[in-house]
Amino acid sequence: MVDVAPPVPHRGDRRDLLKADCASCVGLCCVALAFARSADFAIDKPAGDPCVNLADDDACRIHDRLRPSGFRGCTVFDCFGAGQHVAQSTFGGASWRGDAGLRRSMFAVFPIMREVYELLWYLNEAVALSPRLEGGLGDEVLRVLAATERIADGAPAEVLGTDVATHRDVVVELLGRVSEALRAAAPKPAGKRHKKVGPRSDLMGARLAGADLRAVNLRGSYLIAADLQRADLGFADLIGADLRDTDLRGADLSTALFVTQPQLESARGDALTRLPPMLHRPAHWI
């Protein structure tokens, strides 16, 4: 359960700190996590085994050519800064190399911390949007954010003992209310909406070019290979939406809610795609 804390002073959006710094990590995502041979990975790799491309200095040997080498999945993965936090803070700068006990503990903590850091990303976005919220919703965001930060700052045993699934449910429910409040106050589409558009919709391959999707709830929807060219996604909720190979060329996501860099990395876009201010245009986009 969320540890209820007293109100905390208002603070700004800190998503600029929630970015992966591979130089300060120890290759955790390249060792602790498993992946299977697929369109995203050229090989199978069990959890706990170092990737064949991981060098002794914990750098990737093919970092500048991951996509053409068959490792597209690596380019769409983002730890949101969890990797360097686990390496430098949770484990005090230690490495998994040469210590079996520490290795097991570090590899168990990392996936949990990665999930916690993703929650921190969403909550910090909610903080940035809090001036638009009425009532006590903004204060509730700050309290849940503080509780999430306390999980991230815990010792290894504390992190492993946390019921992150229950905490995630609390965060997801809160972000749903934030989204509802923001979308209720945002401009709505002038015409009829696509009849299948909504949360957890199956929109795989859907033809939505030029669609007015302002303030639509698309959380958890499957937009794989959908055509969203020139679509207006102002204040549309895209949390958890699957954007693999989604065509976002010319689309406006500048005020879309809860978009992450991994979602953009998995999609297609161009120089005309408008992005939220905290995100950057993927290198593989046209």
Side-chain angles (χ1 to χ4, degrees):
M1 298 294 293
V2 173
D3 181 12
V4 177
V8 296
H10 183 73
R11 42 163 277 179
D13 178 5
R14 298 182 183 177
R15 280 176 294 167
D16 59 325
L17 303 177
L18 299 175
K19 296 180 179 179
D21 178 8
C22 297
S24 299
C25 187
V26 287
L28 287 175
C29 65
C30 306
V31 189
L33 305 181
F35 51 76
R37 184 189 298 271
S38 62
D40 289 329
F41 295 102
I43 60 173
D44 293 315
K45 190 196 82 63
D49 285 2
C51 176
V52 295
N53 298 310
L54 185 67
D56 291 340
D57 63 355
D58 297 322
C60 176
R61 296 187 181 94
I62 61 169
H63 187 266
D64 59 346
R65 56 184 191 281
L66 284 165
R67 282 180 174 267
S69 300
F71 288 85
R72 184 179 71 164
C74 296
T75 69
V76 303
F77 177 81
D78 191 340
C79 74
F80 297 95
Q84 65 260 28
H85 180 80
V86 169
Q88 301 301 326
S89 297
T90 312
F91 287 90
S95 172
W96 51 270
R97 298 178 184 272
D99 186 326
L102 186 146
R103 176 188 180 111
R104 286 191 297 271
S105 181
M106 187 175 283
F107 291 176
V109 166
F110 174 65
I112 298 172
M113 193 69 75
R114 192 269 176 194
E115 184 172 359
V116 170
Y117 263 65
E118 184 174 13
L119 296 178
L120 288 174
W121 174 274
Y122 291 131
L123 288 166
N124 271 274
E125 179 170 349
V127 167
L129 295 165
S130 61
R132 296 175 176 267
L133 302 175
E134 297 181 353
L137 193 53
D139 289 337
E140 188 174 354
V141 168
L142 289 173
R143 287 193 292 270
V144 175
L145 172 59
T148 309
E149 289 177 330
R150 287 195 292 275
I151 295 173
D153 291 339
E158 294 172 324
V159 174
L160 292 173
T162 299
D163 185 353
V164 175
T166 297
H167 184 74
R168 181 184 63 242
D169 290 343
V170 171
V171 174
V172 168
E173 189 276 334
L174 172 61
L175 294 176
R177 285 188 281 126
V178 169
S179 168
E180 184 176 357
L182 293 168
R183 289 183 293 106
K188 307 297 189 298
K192 292 183 178 181
R193 294 181 177 178
H194 190 288
K195 62 181 180 180
K196 293 184 178 179
V197 169
R200 294 174 292 281
S201 295
D202 183 355
L203 295 167
M204 294 176 61
R207 298 178 180 178
L208 296 168
D212 187 347
L213 299 173
R214 288 177 296 171
V216 169
N217 185 355
L218 288 168
R219 58 169 44 203
S221 293
Y222 292 98
L223 288 157
I224 301 169
D227 183 359
L228 291 177
Q229 292 184 75
R230 305 178 306 283
D232 188 345
L233 291 153
F235 285 94
D237 186 342
L238 291 172
I239 192 168
D242 193 335
L243 301 183
R244 282 178 292 171
D245 294 320
T246 305
D247 193 342
L248 297 175
R249 289 176 293 175
D252 186 355
L253 289 82
S254 58
T255 59
L257 303 176
F258 304 124
V259 185
T260 64
Q261 193 62 40
Q263 286 175 303
L264 297 181
E265 296 290 344
S266 68
R268 295 184 289 139
D270 61 13
L272 298 179
T273 307
R274 298 180 62 190
L275 304 179
M278 293 300 296
L279 304 179
H280 63 265
R281 200 173 310 281
H284 69 278
W285 282 14
I286 299 172

